[in-house]
Coordinates of all heavy atoms in Angstrom, one line a residue:
E69 N 8.0 -2.6 -3.1 CA 9.1 -3.4 -2.5 C 8.6 -4.1 -1.3 O 9.4 -4.6 -0.5 CB 10.2 -2.4 -2.1 CG 10.7 -1.6 -3.2 CD 11.7 -2.2 -4.1 OE1 11.5 -3.3 -4.6 OE2 12.8 -1.6 -4.3
M70 N 7.3 -4.2 -1.1 CA 6.7 -4.7 0.1 C 7.0 -6.2 0.2 O 7.0 -6.9 -0.8 CB 5.2 -4.5 0.2 CG 4.8 -3.1 0.2 SD 3.0 -2.8 -0.1 CE 2.3 -3.7 1.3
P71 N 7.2 -6.7 1.5 CA 7.5 -8.2 1.7 C 6.3 -9.0 1.2 O 5.2 -8.6 1.4 CB 7.7 -8.3 3.2 CG 8.1 -6.9 3.6 CD 7.3 -6.0 2.7
L72 N 6.6 -10.2 0.7 CA 5.5 -11.0 0.2 C 4.6 -11.5 1.2 O 3.4 -11.6 1.0 CB 6.2 -12.2 -0.5 CG 6.9 -12.0 -1.8 CD1 7.6 -13.2 -2.4 CD2 6.0 -11.3 -2.9
D73 N 5.0 -11.7 2.5 CA 4.1 -12.2 3.5 C 3.1 -11.1 3.9 O 2.0 -11.3 4.2 CB 4.9 -12.7 4.7 CG 5.9 -11.7 5.3 OD1 6.1 -10.6 4.7 OD2 6.4 -12.0 6.4
E74 N 3.6 -9.8 3.9 CA 2.7 -8.7 4.2 C 1.7 -8.5 3.1 O 0.5 -8.2 3.3 CB 3.6 -7.4 4.3 CG 2.8 -6.1 4.6 CD 2.0 -6.1 5.9 OE1 2.1 -7.0 6.7 OE2 1.3 -5.1 6.1
I75 N 2.1 -8.7 1.8 CA 1.2 -8.6 0.7 C 0.1 -9.7 0.8 O -1.1 -9.4 0.6 CB 2.0 -8.7 -0.6 CG1 2.9 -7.5 -0.8 CG2 1.0 -8.8 -1.8 CD1 3.8 -7.6 -2.0
A76 N 0.5 -10.9 1.2 CA -0.4 -12.0 1.3 C -1.4 -11.7 2.4 O -2.6 -12.0 2.2 CB 0.3 -13.3 1.7
R77 N -1.0 -11.0 3.4 CA -2.0 -10.6 4.5 C -3.0 -9.6 4.0 O -4.2 -9.7 4.2 CB -1.2 -10.1 5.7 CG -2.1 -9.8 6.9 CD -1.3 -9.1 8.0 NE -0.9 -7.8 7.7 CZ -1.7 -6.7 7.8 NH1 -3.0 -6.8 8.1 NH2 -1.2 -5.5 7.5
L78 N -2.4 -8.6 3.3 CA -3.3 -7.5 2.9 C -4.3 -7.8 1.8 O -5.4 -7.4 1.8 CB -2.4 -6.3 2.4 CG -1.6 -5.6 3.5 CD1 -0.6 -4.6 2.8 CD2 -2.5 -4.8 4.4
E79 N -3.9 -8.7 0.9 CA -4.8 -9.1 -0.2 C -6.0 -9.9 0.3 O -6.9 -10.1 -0.5 CB -4.1 -9.7 -1.3 CG -3.5 -11.1 -1.1 CD -2.8 -11.7 -2.3 OE1 -3.1 -11.3 -3.4 OE2 -1.9 -12.5 -2.1
K80 N -5.9 -10.4 1.5 CA -7.1 -11.2 2.0 C -8.1 -10.3 2.7 O -9.2 -10.8 3.0 CB -6.5 -12.2 3.0 CG -5.7 -13.3 2.4 CD -5.1 -14.2 3.5 CE -4.2 -15.3 2.9 NZ -3.6 -16.1 4.0
L81 N -7.8 -9.1 2.9 CA -8.7 -8.2 3.6 C -10.0 -7.9 2.7 O -9.9 -8.1 1.5 CB -8.0 -6.8 3.9 CG -6.8 -6.9 4.8 CD1 -6.1 -5.5 5.0 CD2 -7.1 -7.5 6.2
E82 N -11.0 -7.4 3.4 CA -12.2 -7.2 2.7 C -12.8 -5.8 3.1 O -12.4 -5.3 4.2 CB -13.3 -8.3 2.9 CG -12.9 -9.6 2.4 CD -13.9 -10.7 2.7 OE1 -14.9 -10.4 3.4 OE2 -13.7 -11.9 2.2
G83 N -13.7 -5.3 2.3 CA -14.5 -4.1 2.7 C -13.6 -2.9 2.9 O -12.6 -2.6 2.2
A84 N -13.8 -2.2 4.0 CA -13.1 -1.0 4.4 C -11.6 -1.3 4.6 O -10.7 -0.4 4.2 CB -13.7 -0.3 5.6
E85 N -11.3 -2.4 5.1 CA -9.9 -2.8 5.3 C -9.1 -3.0 4.0 O -8.0 -2.6 3.8 CB -9.8 -4.1 6.1 CG -10.2 -3.9 7.6 CD -9.9 -5.1 8.4 OE1 -10.1 -6.2 7.8 OE2 -9.6 -5.0 9.6
L86 N -9.8 -3.5 3.0 CA -9.2 -3.6 1.6 C -9.0 -2.2 1.0 O -8.0 -2.0 0.3 CB -10.1 -4.5 0.7 CG -9.5 -4.7 -0.7 CD1 -8.2 -5.5 -0.6 CD2 -10.5 -5.6 -1.5
N87 N -9.9 -1.3 1.3 CA -9.6 0.1 0.8 C -8.4 0.7 1.5 O -7.6 1.4 0.8 CB -10.8 1.0 1.2 CG -12.0 0.7 0.2 OD1 -11.8 0.3 -0.9 ND2 -13.2 0.9 0.7
D88 N -8.1 0.3 2.7 CA -6.9 0.8 3.4 C -5.7 0.1 2.7 O -4.6 0.8 2.5 CB -6.9 0.4 4.8 CG -7.9 1.2 5.6 OD1 -8.2 2.3 5.2 OD2 -8.3 0.8 6.7
A89 N -5.8 -1.1 2.2 CA -4.7 -1.8 1.5 C -4.4 -1.1 0.2 O -3.3 -0.9 -0.3 CB -5.0 -3.2 1.3
K90 N -5.5 -0.6 -0.5 CA -5.3 0.1 -1.7 C -4.6 1.4 -1.5 O -3.8 1.9 -2.4 CB -6.7 0.4 -2.4 CG -7.4 -0.8 -2.9 CD -8.8 -0.4 -3.5 CE -9.6 -1.6 -3.9 NZ -10.9 -1.3 -4.5
K91 N -4.8 2.1 -0.4 CA -4.1 3.3 -0.1 C -2.6 3.0 0.1 O -1.7 3.8 -0.3 CB -4.7 4.0 1.2 CG -6.1 4.4 1.0 CD -6.7 4.9 2.4 CE -8.2 5.2 2.3 NZ -8.8 5.6 3.6
I92 N -2.3 1.9 0.8 CA -0.9 1.5 1.0 C -0.3 1.2 -0.4 O 0.8 1.7 -0.7 CB -0.8 0.2 1.9 CG1 -1.3 0.5 3.3 CG2 0.6 -0.3 1.9 CD1 -1.5 -0.7 4.2
L93 N -1.0 0.5 -1.3 CA -0.5 0.3 -2.6 C -0.2 1.6 -3.3 O 0.9 1.8 -3.9 CB -1.5 -0.5 -3.4 CG -1.3 -0.6 -4.9 CD1 -0.1 -1.4 -5.3 CD2 -2.5 -1.2 -5.6
A94 N -1.1 2.5 -3.3 CA -1.0 3.8 -4.0 C 0.2 4.6 -3.4 O 1.0 5.1 -4.2 CB -2.3 4.6 -3.8
T95 N 0.4 4.6 -2.1 CA 1.5 5.3 -1.5 C 2.8 4.7 -1.8 O 3.8 5.4 -2.1 CB 1.3 5.4 0.0 OG1 0.0 6.1 0.3 CG2 2.4 6.2 0.7
E96 N 2.9 3.4 -1.8 CA 4.2 2.7 -2.1 C 4.6 2.9 -3.6 O 5.8 3.1 -3.9 CB 4.1 1.2 -1.7 CG 4.0 1.0 -0.2 CD 5.1 1.6 0.6 OE1 6.3 1.4 0.2 OE2 4.8 2.2 1.6
V97 N 3.6 2.7 -4.5 CA 3.9 2.9 -5.9 C 4.3 4.3 -6.2 O 5.3 4.6 -6.9 CB 2.7 2.5 -6.8 CG1 3.0 2.7 -8.3 CG2 2.4 1.0 -6.6
T98 N 3.6 5.3 -5.6 CA 3.9 6.7 -5.8 C 5.3 7.1 -5.2 O 6.0 7.9 -5.8 CB 2.8 7.6 -5.3 OG1 1.5 7.2 -5.8 CG2 3.0 9.0 -5.6
T99 N 5.6 6.5 -4.1 CA 6.9 6.7 -3.5 C 8.1 6.4 -4.4 O 9.0 7.2 -4.6 CB 7.1 5.9 -2.2 OG1 6.1 6.4 -1.2 CG2 8.5 6.1 -1.6
L100 N 8.0 5.3 -5.1 CA 9.0 4.9 -6.0 C 9.2 5.9 -7.2 O 10.3 6.2 -7.7 CB 8.8 3.5 -6.6 CG 9.1 2.3 -5.6 CD1 8.7 1.0 -6.2 CD2 10.6 2.3 -5.2
C101 N 8.0 6.3 -7.7 CA 8.0 7.2 -8.9 C 8.3 8.7 -8.6 O 8.9 9.4 -9.3 CB 6.7 7.0 -9.6 SG 6.6 7.8 -11.2
H102 N 7.7 9.1 -7.4 CA 7.8 10.6 -7.1 C 8.4 10.9 -5.8 O 8.6 12.1 -5.5 CB 6.4 11.2 -7.2 CG 5.7 11.1 -8.5 ND1 6.2 11.7 -9.6 CD2 4.6 10.4 -9.0 CE1 5.4 11.5 -10.7 NE2 4.5 10.6 -10.3
G103 N 8.8 9.9 -5.0 CA 9.4 10.2 -3.7 C 8.4 10.1 -2.6 O 7.2 10.3 -2.8
R104 N 8.9 9.8 -1.4 CA 8.0 9.6 -0.2 C 7.2 10.9 0.1 O 6.0 10.8 0.5 CB 8.9 9.2 1.0 CG 8.1 9.0 2.3 CD 7.0 8.0 2.2 NE 7.5 6.7 2.1 CZ 6.7 5.6 2.0 NH1 5.4 5.7 2.1 NH2 7.2 4.4 1.9
D105 N 7.8 12.1 0.1 CA 7.1 13.3 0.5 C 5.9 13.5 -0.5 O 4.8 13.8 0.0 CB 8.1 14.5 0.4 CG 9.1 14.5 1.5 OD1 8.9 13.7 2.5 OD2 10.1 15.3 1.4
A106 N 6.1 13.4 -1.8 CA 5.0 13.6 -2.7 C 3.9 12.5 -2.5 O 2.7 12.8 -2.6 CB 5.5 13.5 -4.1
A107 N 4.3 11.3 -2.2 CA 3.3 10.2 -2.0 C 2.5 10.5 -0.7 O 1.3 10.4 -0.7 CB 4.0 8.9 -1.9
D108 N 3.2 10.9 0.4 CA 2.5 11.2 1.6 C 1.6 12.4 1.4 O 0.4 12.4 2.0 CB 3.5 11.4 2.7 CG 4.2 10.2 3.2 OD1 3.7 9.1 2.9 OD2 5.2 10.3 3.9
Q109 N 2.0 13.4 0.7 CA 1.2 14.6 0.4 C 0.0 14.2 -0.4 O -1.1 14.7 -0.1 CB 2.0 15.6 -0.3 CG 1.3 17.0 -0.4 CD 2.2 18.0 -1.1 OE1 2.7 17.8 -2.2 NE2 2.4 19.2 -0.5
A110 N 0.1 13.4 -1.4 CA -1.0 12.9 -2.2 C -2.0 12.2 -1.3 O -3.2 12.4 -1.4 CB -0.5 12.0 -3.3

């Protein structure tokens, strides 16, 4: 559910910063499917 402008910023990142963007992706997708607590715990 992330805003499009924030996504546009994150997808331009490179290296270690892009890895941080992948963690954000994983947490947001997992939140929708399993809840915020389970996502944060993962």
Side-chain angles (χ1 to χ4, degrees):
E69 308 275 54
M70 297 170 62
L72 292 175
D73 55 352
E74 175 66 4
I75 294 172
R77 182 187 71 81
L78 290 171
E79 68 180 331
K80 293 176 183 176
L81 300 176
E82 297 179 352
E85 289 184 327
L86 184 58
N87 284 332
D88 289 337
K90 292 180 183 180
K91 295 173 189 175
I92 294 172
L93 167 66
T95 299
E96 292 302 314
V97 176
T98 306
T99 294
L100 285 175
C101 191
H102 297 295
R104 175 61 68 178
D105 289 346
D108 289 343
Q109 187 177 54

